[in-house]
Amino acid sequence: MAESKDSFQEKTEEPTSKRIRDSRKKGQVAKSMEINSALILLVGLLALTIFGGMMFSQIIAAERFLFSQVGQIQVTQDTLPGYLLAAMTMFIKILAPVMVPIIVVGILANVLQFGLLFTLYPIKPKFDKLNPISGIKKFASKRSLVELVKNILKIVMIGWIGYLVISGMVDEMIPLMDQTPWAIFLFVCKGVAKIGFYTVFAILLLAILDLVYQRWQHHQEMKMTKQETKDERKQTQGDPQVKAKIRQVQFKTALQRMMKNVPTADVVVTNPTEYAIALSYDEENMTAPSVVAKGKRLIAQRIRELAIENDIPIVENPPLARELYKAAEVGQEIPGKLYQAVAEILAYVYRLRTENEVIYD
């Protein structure tokens, strides 16, 4: 019920860092396949332009060698693996000048878009992909519409570029009737290269626009509803009600522990009703008096009650009480600027204690 309610909420909240990390782990990142296609096509054409002559010469040399040795080649069970390995090595050697740059650029195109990322999540089997209704929804989605528009634009651009290039070369086609097959082949290669390079630059422009759109679209998809933000906060930081209960229990435990220390105090300095600070001083083990308990209002009242129950002197000194409350925490020694005032109070308390002992004796 909560899930259905959340599905109708508008995604107005910016994505959290956790949502972005989880999305990245699943391979859901902003990327444009048009960037990959354009760069791979560009590098492939450049590699063919630079190394095409060498590759063509290697292919001719390999064919001449094969035809010259065709009468001596004997294919048997023992020689077949060697022939296959030699043929594979030859093809790799011929295609390497083009394939290696394409592979490198294909990897770099992804790294430049979203950094280093390796995940097997996208290829993980998902039975919901077999649902025909989900497939129909994908065909009718906004993403599918955008892809359709991009494909139409690419077809139009490639067709228009091809038309412009070929129409510009019409005057050069007529003299080809008197040329050799090799000259015709070079002319065709020249036309194909022109179409290829112009197409690459057109697709690259489209790819840049597509990358901007993909990043915007990905950001919109990563946005969260208010309920999703609350749920994630509960998962990462815990339920606020549970945390408040824990803090309440911790405060109660610390308060009980502090109240147990009140009977060990030498004096309690009060405001008289707003603050109460219990001080203790052991000349042999302490360098300065320390705070064993402190509190305001109800806690201060309880400290005074415990002091009365345990015959601990209570001294009213509002300015000193306020300073002590602000300057030192429970278990800490008082700051040096309060030594004099506290020393006078302790001296007074010790003097009263001595007089009482004398009277008692």
Side-chain angles (χ1 to χ4, degrees):
M1 194 66 182
E3 184 178 348
S4 60
K5 182 180 178 181
D6 183 64
S7 62
F8 289 104
Q9 293 186 12
E10 186 178 357
K11 294 185 176 183
T12 57
E13 306 303 307
E14 290 296 317
T16 61
S17 56
K18 179 181 182 300
R19 184 177 178 89
I20 295 173
R21 286 196 305 270
D22 293 344
S23 174
R24 184 176 174 84
K25 288 178 182 177
K26 295 178 181 179
Q28 298 172 355
V29 291
K31 63 177 180 179
S32 171
M33 295 306 297
E34 307 302 327
I35 290 283
N36 297 41
S37 302
L39 292 179
I40 289 173
L41 187 56
L42 176 60
V43 171
L45 286 172
L46 288 173
L48 280 174
T49 303
I50 297 171
F51 302 107
M54 180 187 70
M55 295 171 64
F56 185 77
S57 300
Q58 289 178 337
I59 293 173
I60 296 298
E63 289 179 349
R64 286 175 178 172
F65 174 78
L66 288 175
F67 284 121
S68 65
Q69 301 294 322
V70 69
Q72 303 178 11
I73 296 176
Q74 296 182 357
V75 180
T76 63
Q77 187 175 359
D78 296 331
T79 60
L80 182 60
Y83 289 143
L84 292 176
L85 180 60
M88 189 180 300
T89 304
M90 179 186 65
F91 280 120
I92 292 175
K93 183 179 177 181
I94 293 173
L95 297 177
V98 174
M99 297 306 298
V100 172
I102 286 177
I103 293 172
V104 172
V105 169
I107 296 173
L108 287 178
N110 287 322
V111 173
L112 291 175
Q113 289 188 75
F114 50 81
L116 291 173
L117 175 63
F118 179 77
T119 176
L120 298 176
Y121 187 86
I123 62 175
K124 185 179 178 181
K126 294 181 181 178
F127 292 103
D128 58 345
K129 290 184 178 180
L130 302 177
N131 188 345
I133 298 177
S134 299
I136 294 173
K137 287 182 178 180
K138 287 182 179 180
F139 279 116
S141 65
K142 184 169 70 172
R143 184 181 293 274
S144 299
L145 180 61
V146 171
E147 292 298 322
L148 176 62
V149 171
K150 283 194 303 183
N151 290 332
I152 293 174
L153 281 176
K154 284 191 288 186
I155 293 172
V156 171
M157 285 192 304
I158 294 172
W160 181 248
I161 290 170
Y163 170 76
L164 292 177
V165 172
I166 294 173
S167 61
M169 299 175 65
V170 169
D171 294 338
E172 302 178 36
M173 294 181 183
I174 298 174
L176 289 177
M177 293 186 293
D178 300 326
Q179 299 294 325
T180 61
W182 178 250
I184 296 173
F185 174 74
L186 292 178
F187 178 82
V188 173
C189 290
K190 178 183 175 183
V192 171
K194 273 188 177 182
I195 294 173
F197 279 111
Y198 290 149
T199 301
V200 165
F201 290 119
I203 293 178
L204 191 57
L205 177 61
L206 178 64
I208 293 172
L209 297 176
D210 181 58
L211 179 61
V212 174
Y213 170 78
Q214 292 295 339
R215 289 185 173 178
W216 175 83
Q217 179 67 21
H218 180 71
H219 182 75
Q220 295 299 115
E221 291 176 352
M222 286 295 99
K223 281 188 174 182
M224 308 167 68
T225 63
K226 293 184 182 296
Q227 185 61 42
E228 287 174 336
T229 305
K230 291 180 182 178
D231 293 342
E232 184 177 297
R233 192 180 298 117
K234 285 183 180 180
Q235 292 175 0
T236 56
Q237 301 179 2
D239 193 328
Q241 294 181 351
V242 175
K243 291 177 67 177
K245 186 67 176 178
I246 293 173
R247 284 197 298 268
Q248 184 180 359
V249 172
Q250 290 174 340
F251 175 77
K252 186 176 180 180
T253 303
L255 182 62
Q256 291 175 347
R257 191 183 304 115
M258 184 180 71
M259 291 304 179
K260 288 181 180 179
N261 295 331
V262 174
T264 65
D266 293 311
V267 65
V268 174
V269 182
T270 64
N271 192 25
T273 58
E274 182 72 11
Y275 298 101
I277 298 93
L279 300 175
S280 176
Y281 179 60
D282 185 353
E283 187 175 356
E284 296 181 358
N285 300 320
M286 298 181 183
T287 58
S290 64
V291 178
V292 295
K294 72 172 187 177
K296 294 174 64 177
R297 300 184 182 90
L298 292 178
I299 297 177
Q301 181 181 346
R302 181 56 184 161
I303 292 174
R304 289 195 302 272
E305 291 173 355
L306 288 173
I308 294 171
E309 292 174 5
N310 292 275
D311 297 325
I312 298 171
I314 299 176
V315 177
E316 294 183 8
N317 190 330
L320 179 60
R322 287 193 294 269
E323 287 293 325
L324 284 170
Y325 187 86
K326 295 176 183 178
E329 298 297 329
V330 176
Q332 293 182 349
E333 294 183 350
I334 64 173
K337 64 180 181 179
L338 300 178
Y339 280 0
Q340 182 66 31
V342 173
E344 291 176 0
I345 291 177
L346 287 175
Y348 168 72
V349 169
Y350 293 155
R351 187 168 63 251
L352 285 178
R353 187 179 298 170
T354 302
E355 291 175 357
N356 289 337
E357 289 176 354
V358 171
I359 293 172
Y360 179 78
D361 291 342

